[in-house]
Amino acid sequence: MSNTHNIISLTSFRRSAQAGEFLVTAEVAPPKGGDPELMIKMAQTLKGRVHAVNVTDGSRAVLRMCSVVASAILLQNGIEPICQLACRDRNRIGLQADLMGAHALGIRNVLALTGDPVKAGDHPDAKSVFDLESVRLLQLIHKLNQGIDCNEKPLTDGALDLFPGAAIDPQLSSWSGLQSRFERKLQAGAQFFQSQLITDFERLEKFMDQIAAGCNKPILAGIFLLKSAKNAQFINRCVPGVNIPEYIIDRLAKAADPLEEGMKIAAEQVQVARQLCHGVHMMAVKREDLIAPILDMAGVAPIN
């Protein structure tokens, strides 16, 4: 796994991003336990359809296997990962240690996240760290790539070569807050952006035209598979900042086959996103096997 040929051949996400191709990424959750078989099986359904697979890091503050190890397992199985790294559970020593470890295992793509609050998750009494947040984590990655640690001391055993990305939410209620956050992440070295799930495509268009125009970094719109009206209502209730419109909930409620309708909605959203931004980030919780069929419905060709 650690031989150079493997590492070079599996950094196609960076090459595709820098070449301006339409990018497709998807998300898998690491296992809750010691057996990665289901994660590998789901990720393998994405081979040849996505440029890279995001491995979440304690998403919604719910306990799962660490994202660095889960990413390394995908790499062993010939799947290029984007390793998500959240600041919630680690101080700057732990973050730097994990980034060095990820690099040594051949992982190159990192999504820098602040992390969801522990109160939202399954260990609400856990102690949060938040020594850094996502912008400062991006700055730290930039330093490690230059061969120095966060105290400006040299990395005596070699600089890192990570390709850092950041999350963005074009539907944030504060437009000025969105602009300043995006610009700070850009300045801190983000090389690509993946959005939270998008339902307001007019808002995405405005973001692309007024804030992201000319930034020269790929922006991927988050597309989420809604499985039923109940699923959509749960997301509205439990996921901060998300507002799935009533007309979508009605479509799902009236459908003879809500899951199939959800796939149609996701495919339509992929088609809209193709006109507006540089890629899509597909999310289909526990049904990653449906991402390839959704891409087929949307007319997105397999990746060579």
Side-chain angles (χ1 to χ4, degrees):
M1 180 188 71
S2 62
N3 76 48
T4 312
H5 173 73
N6 260 355
I7 293 168
I8 290 168
S9 67
L10 285 165
T11 52
S12 62
F13 176 68
R14 187 190 307 211
R15 284 200 303 274
S16 300
Q18 292 174 340
E21 291 174 30
F22 183 78
L23 299 172
V24 184
T25 58
E27 201 160 275
V28 296
K32 183 149 189 171
D35 183 358
E37 190 185 348
L38 180 63
M39 175 190 73
I40 295 166
K41 189 176 152 194
M42 285 300 187
Q44 278 173 336
T45 68
L46 302 167
K47 268 189 179 179
R49 299 312 307 255
V50 304
H51 292 87
V53 174
N54 279 54
V55 180
T56 57
D57 181 22
S59 177
R60 292 189 300 113
V62 172
L63 170 68
R64 286 183 177 273
M65 183 187 285
C66 88
S67 59
V68 173
V69 171
S71 295
I73 291 167
L74 290 192
L75 202 50
Q76 282 174 327
N77 284 273
I79 296 155
E80 182 170 358
I82 297 173
C83 181
Q84 297 190 358
L85 205 61
C87 298
R88 178 191 58 241
D89 307 323
R90 308 161 179 84
N91 65 14
R92 66 195 70 188
I93 302 170
L95 287 164
Q96 289 175 103
D98 280 355
L99 288 162
M100 288 180 207
H103 185 273
L105 290 167
I107 296 159
R108 293 293 177 265
N109 311 308
V110 178
L111 191 77
L113 299 170
T114 299
D116 299 315
V118 293
K119 293 280 178 275
D122 59 354
H123 288 64
D125 298 327
K127 185 180 271 191
S128 298
V129 181
F130 292 120
D131 187 15
L132 306 180
E133 45 66 60
S134 56
V135 173
R136 290 174 71 201
L137 177 54
L138 286 164
Q139 290 166 345
L140 182 145
I141 293 168
H142 180 68
K143 283 185 176 181
L144 295 174
N145 280 348
Q146 291 183 313
I148 52 173
D149 68 17
C150 70
N151 292 331
E152 312 281 333
K153 297 281 192 299
L155 300 179
T156 51
D157 294 304
L160 307 193
D161 178 26
L162 299 171
F163 189 60
I168 195 75
D169 185 3
Q171 294 167 160
L172 206 64
S173 54
S174 161
W175 192 250
S176 60
L178 172 62
Q179 182 157 15
S180 111
R181 199 100 183 107
F182 178 74
E183 284 167 2
R184 285 175 64 217
K185 288 182 177 184
L186 206 51
Q187 216 170 6
Q191 298 299 309
F192 64 95
F193 291 86
Q194 292 172 315
S195 93
Q196 312 287 12
L197 81 97
I198 298 284
T199 52
D200 184 345
F201 286 87
E202 283 178 18
R203 180 82 173 186
L204 174 64
E205 185 172 17
K206 188 180 170 194
F207 168 76
M208 293 302 299
D209 289 346
Q210 295 182 17
I211 293 179
C215 78
N216 212 21
K217 303 291 179 210
I219 315 265
L220 283 71
I223 308 291
F224 191 93
L225 171 63
L226 297 164
K227 302 184 192 86
S228 64
K230 193 177 167 188
N231 177 222
Q233 285 159 341
F234 170 81
I235 287 162
N236 273 352
R237 206 168 52 246
C238 299
V239 181
V242 172
N243 181 28
I244 294 157
E246 264 323 301
Y247 77 88
I248 288 182
I249 296 173
D250 287 346
R251 254 183 88 173
L252 291 162
K254 288 172 184 161
D257 183 339
L259 181 59
E260 194 183 329
E261 194 65 27
M263 290 172 72
K264 280 183 195 162
I265 291 165
E268 289 161 18
Q269 292 177 334
V270 170
Q271 289 171 325
V272 176
R274 277 185 100 165
Q275 309 304 313
L276 301 176
C277 59
H278 316 103
V280 286
H281 176 56
M282 307 297 294
M283 294 168 274
V285 179
K286 295 181 182 168
R287 290 309 309 264
E288 292 85 354
D289 55 310
L290 296 179
I291 288 173
I294 291 167
L295 293 169
D296 286 337
M297 289 163 81
V300 177
I303 292 154
N304 297 325

